[in-house]
Amino acid sequence: MNRQPIIAIDGPAGAGKSTVARLVAEQLNLLYLDTGAMYRAITLAILRAQIRLIPDQIAEILDQTIITLHPPAHPSQPVQVWMNGADITTEIRQPYISDQVSAIAALPQVRQMLKQQQQAYGQTGGIVAEGRDIGTEVFPQAELKIFLTASPQERAKRRQQELINQGSNTELEQVLASITSRDYQDSTRTIAPLRAAPDAIQLDTDGRSITEIVDNIVNLFYLL
Ligand code: CDP
């Protein structure tokens, strides 16, 4: 193998993938790739353009949209996302993007383009990539595949806390409905649905601290 190892972390909304992946990448000195941020950025581009979701119009937007990811200033912060020279880090976390992203992420053209970009990031390995289809489609050759889960209630509580931290108060019921709907759309789509790769290690994060999960993954990595 003439590339560095790849760690793939997949799982449903709010399972803690981003936080865990960021900290694992920091501890192991690997690049962190948040593929969900890329889907969120394209969703923002399509919503702003107010186009109809037909192949020609989608192709035009994809051609015009340049997304760049910059490492967070600190591992407790999300990745910085820029689109065509503008910082969209905060905007892509807004609930109106969360509510539309699964529909946009189901479009074959969108997936094809982002998969290519993600594979380019991982060409030399040395990467922790998180998303929905990393272990199954983007990096099926990843040395370590993790599927993070947690109960819907627990995931909704975590997501609600994140929203509060961003200054937006949302009812728990509403957050739960939003992540449940997104999980349903993500796991039932035809292309690259959310699912664990057959060789993924499933980790249930209910009642376990972030540190515990990160240590667990780092130890699994050292056993490779
Ligand atoms: O962080 P959270 O769990 O809310 O989601 P995210 O990782 O930001 O991903 C947002 C959405 O992008 C998901 O609900 C999926 O629809 C889509 N996505 C995807 O289809 N494939 C990926 N590899 C990553 C995200």
Side-chain angles (χ1 to χ4, degrees), residues 86-132:
D87 184 351
I88 53 164
T89 308
T90 311
E91 195 62 20
I92 58 167
R93 304 286 158 195
Q94 298 297 321
Y96 78 95
I97 297 289
S98 302
D99 289 342
Q100 298 297 325
V101 62
S102 292
I104 303 295
L107 300 170
Q109 286 162 287
V110 171
R111 297 210 74 80
Q112 194 191 4
M113 184 185 88
L114 292 187
K115 182 175 162 181
Q116 265 175 20
Q117 293 182 5
Q118 292 155 12
Q119 288 176 333
Y121 272 105
Q123 215 164 27
T124 54
I127 189 170
V128 182
E130 55 115 342
R132 302 293 187 288

Side-chain angles (χ1 to χ4, degrees), residues 5-6 14 20 25 31 114 121 128 132 134 153-154 178 186 210:
I6 296 176
V20 165
L31 182 79
L114 292 187
Y121 272 105
V128 182
R132 302 293 187 288
I134 308 301
Q153 279 293 334
E154 179 79 30
S178 157
D186 290 345
I210 294 289

Side-chain angles (χ1 to χ4, degrees), residues 13 17 35 39-40 102 111 132-133 159 182 186 189:
K17 297 182 302 292
T35 63
Y39 285 97
R40 286 172 179 274
S102 292
R111 297 210 74 80
R132 302 293 187 288
D133 60 342
R159 185 44 50 95
R182 201 139 59 86
D186 290 345
R189 68 178 171 229

Side-chain angles (χ1 to χ4, degrees), residues 1-6 123-126 141-143 221 224:
M1 182 179 74
N2 53 8
R3 61 153 178 80
Q4 301 274 303
I6 296 176
Q123 215 164 27
T124 54
Q141 77 285 27
E143 282 71 17
F221 178 82
L224 285 175

